[in-house]
Structure formats: C-alpha cells, structure tokens
Amino acid sequence: VASDRLSNPPHLALSAEKTSRPFVVDNTPPQVGRLKIEQLPEGRIVVSGELEDATSPLKKAEYSIDSGEWLVIFPTDGIFDSKKESFRFATEALSQGEHTLVIRATDFRNNVGTGKAVVQLKSHK
C-alpha cells in the first residue's frame, strides 16, 4: 500500500495497493566452520574447512592473512553451486610467529559471512 495521506489534506490524499507474487528475502550470511590448519615444514600452512548458507547457494570465498590482500578460494569440487561447500588450500610461506587468517564467504544474494583463526607458526626447521 502506498499513500500520500501524511503529506496532504484528507480530501486530496491518494492511496494505491498492489499484491506481488511471493519472493524470498535472504539476509542470512554464510557460515565458516570446521577450520583445520596444518603447518608444513617450509612455513606454509594448509587450511581446510566448510562453508554453508541456510538459504542460498554460495557464490565465492576468499582468504586474507594479517589484513593483507584477499585471495580466492576454490571449493574442493571446483565450483560454487551448492549451499554447502568444503575447501582446502595452501598458503605461501609465512614468517614464524603469530598470524591472523580470515575466511570470507559470499552467497548468491551477496550476504557475507566470515571466520577467523589465529595461527602460531613454529620454526621452519
């Protein structure tokens, strides 16, 4: 219902009504879960986990280390086409010490969800 009743005197006010077909409103962000991190001897880490959205298929995923550039993650099956996807990737070599890893997932309705892990890398020897 649209009305201009609040902006006009009662005898000049107009209103109209239209009923649309049903449509889905999706405001639920994807969830990042089951994060597992393995350190490789040369200072790289292997990250695996799952992405899931309650309503829409997933569209893309990315990761960033220590607030750096966002890098693309591909799902294990090679294509984002489901509400639930698993992933596994290896990073470039990182320096020893603490690093923050953030995973960002986006669904087809452009809702964004994130997951975070703090990684403590030991000596690469």
Side-chain angles (χ1 to χ4, degrees):
V1 176
S3 173
D4 63 0
R5 177 178 63 83
L6 297 176
S7 301
N8 290 297
H11 69 283
L12 296 176
L14 300 173
S15 69
E17 180 177 329
K18 182 170 183 170
T19 302
S20 73
R21 290 182 292 158
F23 58 91
V24 175
V25 175
D26 175 8
N27 293 323
T28 59
Q31 301 295 310
V32 177
R34 297 184 185 241
L35 278 178
K36 181 179 176 189
I37 299 171
E38 305 167 49
Q39 180 178 348
L40 300 177
E42 66 274 12
R44 297 170 56 204
I45 59 172
V46 175
V47 181
S48 59
E50 292 182 354
L51 309 171
E52 187 170 7
D53 191 88
T55 311
S56 299
L58 296 159
K59 179 167 75 172
K60 69 178 180 175
E62 303 160 295
Y63 76 95
S64 174
I65 297 176
D66 299 330
S67 299
E69 178 183 359
W70 288 102
L71 302 170
V72 174
I73 299 171
F74 284 111
T76 306
D77 67 1
I79 186 168
F80 282 110
D81 61 354
S82 304
K83 292 180 187 178
K84 186 174 185 178
E85 300 281 358
S86 60
F87 63 87
R88 181 178 172 87
F89 65 90
T91 67
E92 296 294 323
L94 301 171
S95 61
Q96 125 180 9
E98 186 175 281
H99 297 278
T100 302
L101 167 74
V102 177
I103 306 281
R104 177 170 71 182
T106 306
D107 69 15
F108 270 93
R109 303 280 185 208
N110 290 320
N111 297 302
V112 177
T114 60
K116 177 179 106 171
V118 176
V119 182
Q120 187 70 38
L121 291 184
K122 300 176 178 108
S123 174
H124 305 332
K125 297 176 185 174

